[in-house]
């Protein structure tokens, strides 16, 4: 059989390529002659650069920037063979890397600095993967990193920290990097939330980054004040655009700079030629760390399944966990949804044993598929 193996990473455990390799080993236990093509996937969040490099290659670059708490750090970005520079926000201001500072003391200045490093290297087509951030600054820090000044009523410069945004009266764009005017900027995300309100960055994603329930309304109002000044300075309202609420509002700042939002999973699928690859196989296998109804909202496995269905090729899901799907929405998109956990175990144990568990589950799935193809 010819298999296409296109999983996302299992966060905290295995990179997408490692997941795909483990699945392939399991399939070959069931059928040693199986033809397994690996196409690691991502949706713009953690693991995007690794998935792209594993599939397309490219040239790694490093830059000295600041992390979410203002500490100097080194961050990588990837120049793809056809000239697109890709920045992964999680590598600069990722949630797993935060220290003792609260969300009110974190900003996205380092993301702006990393975009500027891409510009310095000559890139004029930049894609920014927006998942996995620890910040909720409305993208103010990113703008500052690219040369914008935030001003209070007296014209004094403000830091781009969340608690300062309510004091922003104006933005000074005179120092904004002019190269952005001739640069194509893409936003890769798996969410379409606006910047403000009940579906906005703070209300939906703020609590998982440390925004207390009683601080949500106050911080949302502060970001609204900043956004009013930013919209005026840039001459365009962007707070309601889909994806503006991604990465704590970083999507909003990138919209102000002329960026356009794309599904991260769709972008990676197109770059990797996933549709053509699917058309050449008998079965597709995808997966992620944990699957539930949210998987269908732009996650990589959902995009893989959509392309497989369009090509008339069966597609199965093998994830670390598959949560209850009472309405059958998730199951309807796949030819079987499987979990790698074959016995009761802690999350820590599942993470540590992910590779052998994946091999075992993929082998059993392949044996079932092979038996079905043989018929009675």
């Amino acid at each position: 059989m010819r298999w296409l193996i296109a999983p996302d990473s299992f966060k905290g455990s295995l990179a997408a390529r490692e997941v795909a390799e483990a699945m392939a080993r399991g399939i070959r236990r069931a059928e040693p002659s199986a033809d397994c093509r690996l196409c690691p996937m991502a949706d713009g969040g953690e693991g995007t650069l690794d998935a792209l490099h594993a599939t397309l290659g490219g040239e790694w670059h490093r830059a000295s920037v600041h992390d979410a708490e203002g500490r100097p750090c080194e961050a990588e970005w990837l120049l793809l063979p056809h000239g697109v520079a890709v920045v992964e926000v999680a590598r600069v201001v990722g949630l797993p890397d935060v220290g003792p500072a609260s969300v009110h003391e974190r900003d996205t200045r380092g993301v702006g600095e990393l975009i500027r490093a891409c510009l310095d290297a000559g890139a004029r087509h930049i894609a920014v993967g927006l998942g996995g951030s620890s910040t909720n600054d409305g993208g103010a820090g990113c703008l500052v990193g690219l040369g914008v000044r935030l001003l209070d009523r007296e014209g004094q410069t403000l830091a781009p920290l969340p608690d300062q945004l309510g004091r922003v009266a104006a933005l000074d764009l005179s120092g904004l990097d002019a190269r952005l005017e001739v640069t194509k900027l893409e936003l890769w995300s798996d969410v379409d939330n606006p910047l403000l309100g009940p579906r906005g960055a703070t209300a939906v994603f703020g609590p998982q980054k440390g925004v207390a329930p009683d601080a949500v309304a106050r911080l949302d109002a502060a970001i609204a004040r900043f956004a009013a000044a930013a919209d005026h300075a840039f001459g365009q309202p962007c707070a309601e655009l889909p994806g503006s609420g991604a990465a704590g509002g970083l999507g909003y700042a990138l919209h102000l700079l002329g960026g356009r939002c794309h599904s991260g999973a769709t972008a990676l699928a197109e770059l990797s030629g996933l549709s053509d690859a699917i058309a050449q196989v008998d079965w597709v296998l995808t997966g992620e760390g944990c699957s539930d109804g949210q998987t269908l909202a732009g996650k990589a496995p959902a995009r893989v399944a959509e392309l497989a269905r369009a090509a008339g090729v069966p597609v199965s899901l093998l994830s670390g966990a598959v949560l209850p799907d009472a309405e059958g929405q998730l199951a309807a998109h796949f030819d079987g949804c499987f979990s790698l956990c074959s016995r009761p175990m802690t999350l820590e144990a599942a993470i540590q044993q992910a590779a052998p568990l994946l091999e075992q589950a993929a082998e059993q799935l392949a044996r079932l598929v092979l038996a079905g193809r043989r018929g009675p």
Side-chain angles (χ1 to χ4, degrees), residues 8-139:
D8 200 345
S9 63
F10 280 31
K11 292 177 177 58
S13 178
L14 299 174
R17 176 142 196 116
E18 294 172 316
V19 174
E21 290 170 343
M23 289 177 171
R25 290 194 297 271
I27 289 171
R28 291 191 179 110
R29 286 184 189 171
E31 185 185 27
S33 62
D35 178 4
C36 297
R37 176 171 179 178
L38 311 188
C39 187
M41 286 291 292
D43 54 24
E46 303 98 318
T48 293
L49 294 188
D50 289 333
L52 283 171
H53 188 260
T55 303
L56 300 175
E59 181 181 339
W60 289 105
H61 292 258
R62 295 181 67 85
S64 297
V65 299
H66 292 86
D67 69 9
E69 298 176 15
R71 300 169 299 195
C73 68
E74 294 287 315
E76 289 183 313
W77 59 276
L78 182 64
L79 182 63
L80 296 178
H82 59 293
V84 178
V86 186
V87 170
E88 184 180 309
V89 167
R91 289 183 176 243
V92 186
V93 294
L95 192 57
D97 300 323
V98 297
S102 76
V103 66
H104 303 284
E105 301 171 284
R106 305 180 206 138
D107 65 62
T108 53
R109 178 164 53 118
V111 177
E113 294 169 338
L114 194 56
I115 292 173
R116 180 168 278 183
C118 296
L119 295 172
D120 290 343
R124 294 298 180 267
H125 185 175
I126 302 173
V128 183
L130 293 176
S133 80
S134 65
T135 50
N136 200 102
D137 69 345

Side-chain angles (χ1 to χ4, degrees), residues 180-370:
L180 290 166
E181 295 183 7
V182 293
T183 300
K184 181 179 180 180
L185 193 60
E186 294 184 18
L187 293 61
W188 290 354
S189 176
D190 64 351
V191 302
D192 61 359
N193 302 70
L195 176 65
L196 305 167
R199 291 192 63 248
T202 307
V204 177
F205 306 111
Q208 70 190 42
K209 302 175 185 183
V211 179
D214 60 358
V216 168
R218 183 172 68 252
L219 180 51
D220 195 51
I223 293 176
R225 173 68 182 270
F226 155 71
D231 283 351
H232 178 75
F234 281 91
Q236 56 182 333
C238 292
E240 292 299 319
L241 291 178
S244 285
L250 180 56
Y252 166 71
L254 296 175
H255 275 305
L256 289 173
L257 297 171
R260 293 295 175 262
C261 198
H262 302 270
S263 159
T266 297
L268 264 75
E270 291 176 351
L271 286 169
S272 62
L274 189 62
S275 291
D276 291 340
I278 287 174
Q280 300 171 25
V281 301
D282 303 307
W283 207 282
V284 177
L285 183 57
T286 186
E288 60 187 336
C290 181
S291 296
D292 57 18
Q294 291 299 310
T295 295
L296 304 179
K299 300 292 186 182
R303 183 55 180 159
V304 173
E306 182 180 349
L307 293 174
R309 290 290 193 219
V313 178
V315 54
S316 295
L317 179 76
L318 173 54
S319 294
V322 178
L323 300 187
D325 180 31
E327 298 180 0
Q329 295 181 355
L330 185 65
H333 286 74
F334 298 94
D335 298 290
C337 297
F338 304 87
S339 169
L340 63 82
C341 296
S342 58
R343 63 185 185 278
M345 62 177 60
T346 64
L347 175 61
E348 292 75 13
I351 289 174
Q352 292 173 358
Q353 301 173 41
L357 289 171
L358 270 168
E359 291 180 32
Q360 176 179 298
E363 177 188 358
Q364 299 310 313
L365 187 156
R367 290 187 182 281
L368 182 63
V369 170
L370 289 166

